[in-house]
Amino acid sequence: SDAYVYPDVRKIGKTSCDVAAEHLAVMKAFLREYSGVCNFNYKIRGDGRICIFEVNTRIGGDLAVDVPRDRAHELFEHLDRIPA
């Protein structure tokens, strides 16, 4: 089955990749008139469609677990440069 049911899953891997333009368009639609940090939790289905699980208006725990340290560091340095 292609069903994703947590916690009865077996992780088979993960990879970093560029986000497709059509997926970014879907995410941007959620963020109209929003300003701030947010975290999208999503998967790409086998047929290439995006499947969004949740959108959090905060930095998510995924940043500490799944994002390469250099990318997370880059994000925080960028946030530090934003005027208060």
Side-chain angles (χ1 to χ4, degrees):
S1 168
D2 288 339
Y4 180 88
V5 181
Y6 185 83
D8 296 324
V9 296
R10 180 177 53 89
K11 188 172 188 174
I12 58 173
K14 66 180 179 180
T15 185
S16 296
C17 60
D18 292 331
V19 179
E22 61 268 23
H23 297 165
L24 282 176
V26 171
M27 293 179 202
K28 286 179 181 179
F30 278 95
L31 303 175
R32 287 196 182 108
E33 299 183 32
Y34 175 75
S35 175
V37 173
C38 73
N39 176 56
F40 278 83
N41 287 329
Y42 68 97
K43 302 289 182 199
I44 305 300
R45 295 178 186 265
D47 63 3
R49 293 180 301 142
I50 190 171
C51 180
I52 296 174
F53 297 111
E54 62 182 355
V55 181
N56 296 302
T57 55
R58 60 175 168 72
I59 295 175
D62 301 329
L63 188 63
V65 177
D66 292 327
V67 175
R69 293 282 184 235
D70 59 331
R71 300 277 308 265
H73 183 75
E74 192 176 306
L75 169 67
F76 286 118
E77 285 197 342
H78 177 76
L79 292 174
D80 281 344
R81 290 191 298 270
I82 296 174

